[in-house]
Amino acid sequence: GDGEGGDGNGGDGEGGDGEGGDGDGGDGNGGDGEGGDDDGGDDDGGCNDGNDGKVDPDLCFSAQNTIEIMGQGLIDMSFLEIGDYVRVQGGKFARVYSFGHYEKSRSSNYLQIQAAGIKTPLEITKDHMVFILDGTTTKSVPASSIKIGDSLATENGSSKVSKIDTVKRNGAYAPFTTSGDIIVSGIVASNYISMIPQEEFGLPVTMQWIAHTFKAPHRLVCAISFNICK
């Protein structure tokens, strides 16, 4: 009856919910383990939009942008490497010590910002910060807040925004420099994203200052042993 042939070996034991149920074939390897949010989710950078884990990073430039490398001149963003010295604010050069993203085949949406006198449009994700001139003050703001007519900070002064579009590109790059900023396609941009609107801080500091300070331990590690960051 209910001995070996009932609920023991032939019932709910080995043939029931044990090996054939929710064990190996259920939510273990085939569920949310390797195929769920582990490998394919946000672990590779943590700045996705939450849809499929492969769209729209928050902290990136497209491959279509140009940067100036010390001793080389202008190059496409896709050729930038850790250890390069790039043009930054104030006419100086700063070292690229790491990347938040370096993904040549990643498909992302970018704001394409054109400005007077700028040959190559700036292509940047919406939350990435850009420097603008507000009267006599230079401040960092998310790219999504920029409007036609705003004055963007440039290497030699400022340039008024003439057109803003949205484009889709393959390639996502987010270099970190020791100075915390970088001139991309002639425009002064931050290394960081805006997580909190500046008017909500309640503190006499900027989002740029907070983000750059937060990255100080990373910069220190790279300065002590640069090979760790390569």
Side-chain angles (χ1 to χ4, degrees):
D2 291 333
E4 296 181 2
D7 292 333
N9 296 332
D12 292 333
E14 298 178 1
D17 290 333
E19 297 178 1
D22 291 333
D24 296 336
D27 291 333
N29 295 334
D32 290 337
E34 296 178 3
D37 291 333
D38 191 352
D39 295 336
D42 291 340
D43 287 348
D44 62 346
C47 61
N48 305 312
D49 69 351
N51 292 330
D52 62 4
K54 288 296 180 183
V55 180
D56 295 353
D58 294 327
L59 176 71
C60 288
F61 302 101
S62 82
Q64 306 299 315
N65 291 291
T66 58
I67 63 273
E68 183 183 353
I69 304 296
M70 186 167 62
Q72 297 184 38
L74 292 177
I75 66 168
D76 290 340
M77 178 69 74
S78 58
F79 294 107
L80 184 63
E81 297 179 350
I82 291 176
D84 286 342
Y85 283 83
V86 298
R87 179 77 70 179
V88 297
Q89 195 170 20
K92 301 177 181 178
F93 287 90
R95 195 178 198 182
V96 175
Y97 68 88
S98 184
F99 277 91
H101 281 279
Y102 192 97
E103 302 173 70
K104 294 187 176 182
S105 61
R106 184 167 186 163
S107 180
S108 304
N109 291 316
Y110 294 94
L111 292 176
Q112 184 187 72
I113 302 174
Q114 299 185 40
I118 302 298
K119 294 182 179 179
T120 304
L122 174 66
E123 294 185 355
I124 188 171
T125 45
K126 62 183 179 65
D127 291 330
H128 204 124
M129 291 192 294
V130 178
F131 290 88
I132 68 169
L133 269 64
D134 185 8
T136 58
T137 304
T138 300
K139 65 179 183 179
S140 54
V141 299
S144 60
S145 71
I146 292 173
K147 304 179 295 297
I148 292 176
D150 284 349
S151 293
L152 301 179
T154 66
E155 179 181 354
N156 299 313
S158 65
S159 179
K160 286 189 178 296
V161 175
S162 58
K163 187 177 181 182
I164 302 174
D165 291 312
T166 300
V167 295
K168 196 174 190 67
R169 304 289 193 199
N170 286 331
Y173 305 88
F176 289 122
T177 65
T178 53
S179 65
D181 64 279
I182 182 172
I183 293 179
V184 180
S185 297
I187 305 298
V188 183
S190 171
N191 291 176
Y192 313 114
I193 63 171
S194 177
M195 295 178 289
I196 306 171
Q198 186 164 330
E199 59 270 16
E200 295 181 9
F201 283 171
L203 297 172
V205 294
T206 65
M207 188 68 237
Q208 173 71 14
W209 184 89
I210 292 173
H212 195 56
T213 302
F214 181 78
K215 290 292 291 182
H218 190 183
R219 292 193 300 276
L220 178 61
V221 168
C222 294
I224 294 173
S225 181
F226 190 70
N227 288 330
I228 295 176
C229 299
K230 285 187 175 182

